[in-house]
Amino acid sequence: MALVYQPVMQLSGILVSLLGWVLSCLTTYLPQWKNLNLELNELEIWTMGLWQACVVQEEGGMQCKDFDSFLALPPELRISRILMFFSNGSGLLGLLLSGFGLDCLKIGERHQEQKKRLLLFGGMLFWISGITAIVPVSWVAHATVQEFWDENIPDIVPRWDFGEALFVGWLAGFCLILGGSLLNCTVCSTEVHPSSVHYAVAEQQDQRQCLETET
């Protein structure tokens, strides 16, 4: 029964990881990392991402302006850019490695140990990708909370709030870590591979033939 569930767990792990990687890439380019509601002008909502700041008007229009300088950004946004790129890259590499290590893939059937290593490395890369996606999102969220409750800022000054991209990033990190865990569980399982079963059966048959010839 375990031999039946192993390919299912592998496919589930890589599909969940693929979903997390897509969400991580989406988080990187979404401009809604922070939202700013202006009480004086409720018809406009300002948003800020890693690459640009946008203003959304009630009529449905949206105008965005790219940041002029990388060095002029706050520290959390600068580091978040780097970490999100690293997350996307490691997630893509994990997809490639774990894809070649799937049991349902007929390539390399005779090299099961190498396929297991590919799955293991792919699962570890998904862990790294998930962690490096959660860290920048959580850092920006922490900085937003600190600024929101900063007593040194006058009450009349508008405060930034959580944007939708933060929640997408948390979901992406969770999916990547979950997918990597599923893949690593299939590698670490102590089930016997079918090739070893066939080898054991053939060895038993040879022993029986030897006993029959001796008698």
Side-chain angles (χ1 to χ4, degrees), residues 26-41:
L26 184 63
T27 303
T28 305
Y29 297 102
L30 278 177
Q32 289 88 11
W33 281 61
K34 293 181 178 181
N35 291 340
L36 182 66
N37 293 321
L38 300 177
E39 295 182 357
L40 298 178
N41 188 1

Side-chain angles (χ1 to χ4, degrees), residues 156-205:
I156 60 174
V157 177
R159 310 295 176 96
W160 289 99
D161 201 352
F162 289 173
E164 293 82 357
L166 298 183
F167 301 99
V168 177
W170 279 317
L171 180 60
F174 173 76
C175 289
L176 287 166
I177 294 175
L178 177 60
S181 300
L182 290 175
L183 291 177
N184 289 336
C185 286
T186 61
V187 176
C188 299
S189 59
T190 56
E191 64 184 23
V192 181
H193 195 268
S195 60
S196 61
V197 175
H198 294 319
Y199 177 79
V201 172
E203 187 177 2
Q204 291 179 359
Q205 291 178 353

Side-chain angles (χ1 to χ4, degrees), residues 101-113:
L102 294 176
D103 288 342
C104 60
L105 193 65
K106 299 301 181 182
I107 300 176
E109 279 186 321
R110 298 181 180 180
H111 305 283
Q112 293 298 326
E113 289 300 322

